[in-house]
């Protein structure tokens, strides 16, 4: 995937990554006001998701139904199952 978000809402970036990776991704607790700036070329969408999460202090959690939840570290710690 090639993406270059420039101060784009995290939820919009996640929507595009979900389509590209053909997976279900939900923006969870602590992500409402986040925006993303970056550039990714010929990158695996899941690797982009991991990089964005790490750079912004977020965690990925696998929820029931194979849904990836992107949420604040505090919210993720309450559930476990970090991807």
């Amino acid at each position: 995937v090639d993406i270059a978000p420039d101060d784009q809402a995290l939820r919009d970036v996640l929507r595009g990554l979900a389509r590209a990776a053909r997976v279900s991704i939900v923006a969870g607790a602590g992500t409402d006001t986040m925006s993303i700036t970056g550039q990714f070329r010929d990158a695996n969408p899941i690797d982009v998701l991991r990089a964005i999460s790490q750079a912004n202090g977020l965690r990925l959690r696998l929820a029931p139904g194979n849904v990836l939840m992107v949420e604040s570290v505090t919210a993720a710690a309450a559930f476990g199952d970090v991807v």
Side-chain angles (χ1 to χ4, degrees), residues 7-47:
D7 200 29
Q8 188 173 359
L10 174 63
R11 291 175 185 270
D12 295 338
V13 174
L14 294 179
R15 189 176 301 114
L17 290 172
R19 276 192 220 114
R22 299 180 55 103
V23 297
S24 299
I25 301 173
V26 174
T31 63
D32 296 346
T33 60
M34 299 189 84
S35 61
I36 303 298
T37 298
Q39 185 167 354
F40 300 90
R41 295 201 185 276
D42 196 27
N44 178 298
I46 299 301
D47 291 339

Side-chain angles (χ1 to χ4, degrees), residues 66-81:
N66 290 324
V67 174
L68 286 173
M69 298 287 294
V70 179
E71 54 200 1
S72 71
V73 174
T74 305
F79 293 100
D81 299 334

